[in-house]
Amino acid sequence: MTQAAVVANPAKSRIHKAGAVCLAAGLIGAVASIYLLAMISPVGADSFTFPHGAPEFTGLQMVIALLRVGLIFGLLGLWWSGAVPMTRIARFGRYIALVMMAVLTVTEGLAVSVPRTPLDGTPPVFGVIYGAYTIVLGVALLAEGLGVARGGVWQGWKRWVPLSLGVWLLVVVLPALALSFDAARWAMSAWLLLFALLGFVLTREDGFAPGQPTAGSRSGMSSAQSAAVVTWVYAAAFGGPIIPNA
């Protein structure tokens, strides 16, 4: 066995493991979200809030929030696969997508932990901040996905999978959150299924991972946690943690 093969095999295994985690997180998250939202009636005539204040749903909501970690593994696997080119825009999308996904993961977990009633009527300051983070994540996924589609490392239909994550989030999920309860439910669940598809692609990936995560990515994760804490403090001081969600 050549030295290149010895190096490539652990890299390939790492990509496959990251893909499997992302696949499982996407599937479980989509099913759990549909189940949760089917069990909770919309608050008011045309709106729905997340997290829901009923204590019996706190555990499931925390699980859904923690499943976002699996989506981060999917983004890392995409990075390790070498499909993301080293252009400036693609690198921007890669780093910002990882940071924003980490921010949303920690933020959702913190939001679920903040006590509130099912019909809390405080101003949705947290929802505004959450929406801003989501828009930034969508733009980052769009930039990264365009890089993958143009890079040529992935061929055929799978080259469009990363791009579909950003397009779906910006074009379908965000408008659906403001449109109706049912639209938001299905849009968000479908987005999680797209992540499951990304995970499936990574489990079939034969490419070579070009390098390890750098100190910059570890610094980004630290910044993400700091941003999430700041968000929680701000929301706790000025408004309830109300997130319009599917």
Side-chain angles (χ1 to χ4, degrees):
M1 183 179 293
T2 65
Q3 182 178 1
V6 172
V7 175
N9 284 339
K12 179 179 177 180
S13 176
R14 181 178 61 180
I15 296 170
H16 288 181
K17 289 177 181 177
V21 173
C22 182
L23 173 60
L27 291 175
I28 296 173
V31 172
S33 296
I34 292 174
Y35 172 78
L36 175 66
L37 298 169
M39 297 299 295
I40 302 176
S41 299
V43 178
D46 301 309
S47 64
F48 180 73
T49 60
F50 176 87
H52 196 270
E56 61 268 25
F57 297 117
T58 300
L60 182 57
Q61 289 177 131
M62 184 63 73
V63 169
I64 293 174
L66 291 177
L67 284 172
R68 299 290 192 267
V69 176
L71 308 187
I72 294 175
F73 272 95
L75 295 178
L76 286 173
L78 178 61
W79 178 355
W80 295 334
S81 72
V84 183
M86 295 304 293
T87 63
R88 181 176 299 178
I89 294 179
R91 289 201 308 269
F92 162 82
R94 179 180 66 187
Y95 287 115
I96 299 301
L98 281 169
V99 170
M100 286 296 101
M101 188 65 78
V103 166
L104 290 174
T105 301
V106 179
T107 302
E108 287 186 16
L110 290 172
V112 172
S113 68
V114 175
R116 56 184 294 266
T117 64
L119 297 176
D120 194 342
T122 53
V125 176
F126 194 92
V128 174
I129 299 173
Y130 186 91
Y133 284 165
T134 303
I135 292 173
V136 174
L137 173 62
V139 172
L141 289 173
L142 194 65
E144 185 177 24
L146 282 171
V148 174
R150 294 175 176 176
V153 175
W154 283 5
Q155 298 295 324
W157 62 269
K158 69 179 184 179
R159 69 189 296 185
W160 304 107
V161 174
L163 179 61
S164 69
L165 295 172
V167 172
W168 191 269
L169 188 60
L170 293 174
V171 177
V172 180
V173 173
L174 286 177
L177 293 176
L179 183 61
S180 72
F181 171 77
D182 287 337
R185 175 182 64 185
W186 294 112
M188 202 68 177
S189 298
W191 188 66
L192 291 173
L193 290 177
L194 286 175
F195 262 100
L197 181 60
L198 173 64
F200 173 78
V201 171
L202 291 173
T203 61
R204 302 284 181 165
E205 180 60 29
D206 294 326
F208 173 74
Q212 299 285 342
T214 63
S217 66
R218 291 190 293 270
S219 175
M221 293 299 179
S222 177
S223 299
Q225 294 179 2
S226 299
V229 172
V230 170
T231 301
W232 179 82
V233 172
Y234 182 78
F238 298 104
I242 303 176
I243 304 174
N245 197 7

